[in-house]
Each structure stands twice: as C-alpha cells, then as structure tokens.
Amino acid sequence: MEFDVSLSVYDITVPVMVHGLNVMNDYLDHAQALERTRGCEPGRILGERLASDMLSFGEQFSVSCNKVDAHMAKLMQRDAPAPQNTLMMYPALKGRLLETRGFLQNLQPGEIAGAQSRTYELTPPIVRGWFGGDDYIRHLVLPDFFFHIAIAHAIVRRLGAKIGKRDYLGNLSQQSGGDYS
C-alpha cells in the first residue's frame, strides 16, 4: 500500500522547531529545579559545559535561537537579523525562547514556500559552499537545531536531572491529536 504524503518546508521546520523550543524551555525548568534541590547558587548550571571547548548550557539556548532566526531568514530570502546577546539568566533565556517561538508561530507557510528548490550559500565557521534547499534543510538546518537541544539535554542530565528520552521527545500529545503517554 502506498501513501502520498507531501510535507512542505513549513511542515518540516516550523512545528518541529516550536516543539523543540518547548523542550528547551523544560530543560531550563529542570536546571532551576536541580539548583534548588542541590542548594546551588542560582544560575550556576547556566555556565556548565559538556566539554571545555563547547558552549555552556545557557549559551545552547541563546545560540539555538539565533540560529533559528538566521536559518529561517535564509529560507525566507531575507537578511539574517543580527544575533542577539542574551543575558545568561533564566528569565532572559526563557524570554528569548518565547520570542523565537512567537516568531515561528507568526510565520506563514507561504513565506518559506519553495525554499527547498532554491540554492543557498553557506560560509564558515561550519561549512563553505553552495547547497540546494533540500540538502540545506535536511543536513544543516534541522540537525543544527537538534544538536543544541541534545547538548543541553546531556549537560543537565550529567549534572543529575532526572530526565531521559521522553523529556527529549517532549510532549507528544501536542502533535496531531495523538496521545502517546
């Protein structure tokens, strides 16, 4: 049996990123709860790193939001906004996540329609060259976004938060009416 399933660029980016931002918001809550239960100085976890040459827990959120802005601008054929320098404080990071989520939720499907058919120039630090839209979306935009979620997950879990794969997957009942609890 064959199914004709067609997903637009919007379908595979915007709802997925909104869902991921919700997961990241939950990780901030887990970090704050961990600080409270351990009696840590508020905000201490925001400076934790998985490895010395990687971004801190707090920076994962700020950079992820900046990259969403930049990638979506590229898909919309607009200049990327200047990266925001978010304060490494829980309220500021939560605000940045909400702002980015609001941007995505206000984006209309037509604004990125056909993005998979265009060619995009990419510059260092990650890669240099020209990429077709399909490759850009599947091999950079989405993996780049998930990388920051995964690293934030790994940091807060390593520090003792009781989180696992279900937390990484987020609230699956928010999806197409299914309840996977």
Side-chain angles (χ1 to χ4, degrees):
M1 180 177 277
E2 285 187 38
F3 295 96
D4 181 24
V5 178
S6 62
L7 296 170
S8 68
V9 171
Y10 179 93
D11 294 332
I12 63 170
T13 57
V14 173
V16 170
M17 289 177 169
V18 167
H19 185 77
L21 292 171
N22 291 336
V23 168
M24 292 185 88
N25 189 60
D26 290 345
Y27 289 163
L28 288 173
D29 292 339
H30 283 288
Q32 284 184 291
L34 188 60
E35 287 176 352
R36 281 191 301 275
T37 60
R38 292 218 170 144
C40 296
E41 176 185 332
R44 182 182 149 307
I45 289 176
L46 295 175
E48 292 289 330
R49 298 171 190 277
L50 195 57
S52 62
D53 65 341
M54 296 180 80
L55 297 174
S56 70
F57 180 73
E59 290 168 324
Q60 298 298 330
F61 298 85
S62 178
V63 168
S64 180
C65 291
N66 286 338
K67 287 185 175 186
V68 167
D69 290 345
H71 288 311
M72 296 312 286
K74 192 176 281 284
L75 294 175
M76 293 170 14
Q77 296 184 296
R78 296 182 183 162
D79 290 334
Q84 293 187 32
N85 195 6
T86 307
L87 288 174
M88 291 296 117
M89 298 172 59
Y90 288 107
L93 292 168
K94 283 181 160 283
R96 182 68 172 109
L97 289 172
L98 285 171
E99 177 187 331
T100 304
R101 188 174 70 192
F103 160 69
L104 289 169
Q105 289 172 324
N106 287 318
L107 202 146
Q108 298 302 309
E111 293 180 88
I112 55 174
Q116 75 280 6
S117 302
R118 293 191 281 278
T119 303
Y120 301 91
E121 181 178 18
L122 303 178
T123 57
I126 303 245
V127 67
R128 175 186 299 281
W130 289 89
F131 292 82
D134 281 341
D135 286 338
Y136 174 59
I137 295 163
R138 288 181 297 158
H139 301 295
L140 183 59
V141 173
L142 293 173
D144 191 24
F145 180 70
F146 289 121
F147 175 81
H148 294 287
I149 298 171
I151 297 303
H153 176 98
I155 292 170
V156 77
R157 182 178 165 114
R158 179 181 57 86
L159 295 172
K162 302 295 183 212
I163 60 171
K165 187 174 184 178
R166 296 266 317 170
D167 299 282
Y168 178 82
L169 295 176
N171 183 355
L172 295 177
S173 65
Q174 293 176 354
Q175 305 311 307
S176 310
D179 184 1
Y180 304 97
S181 54

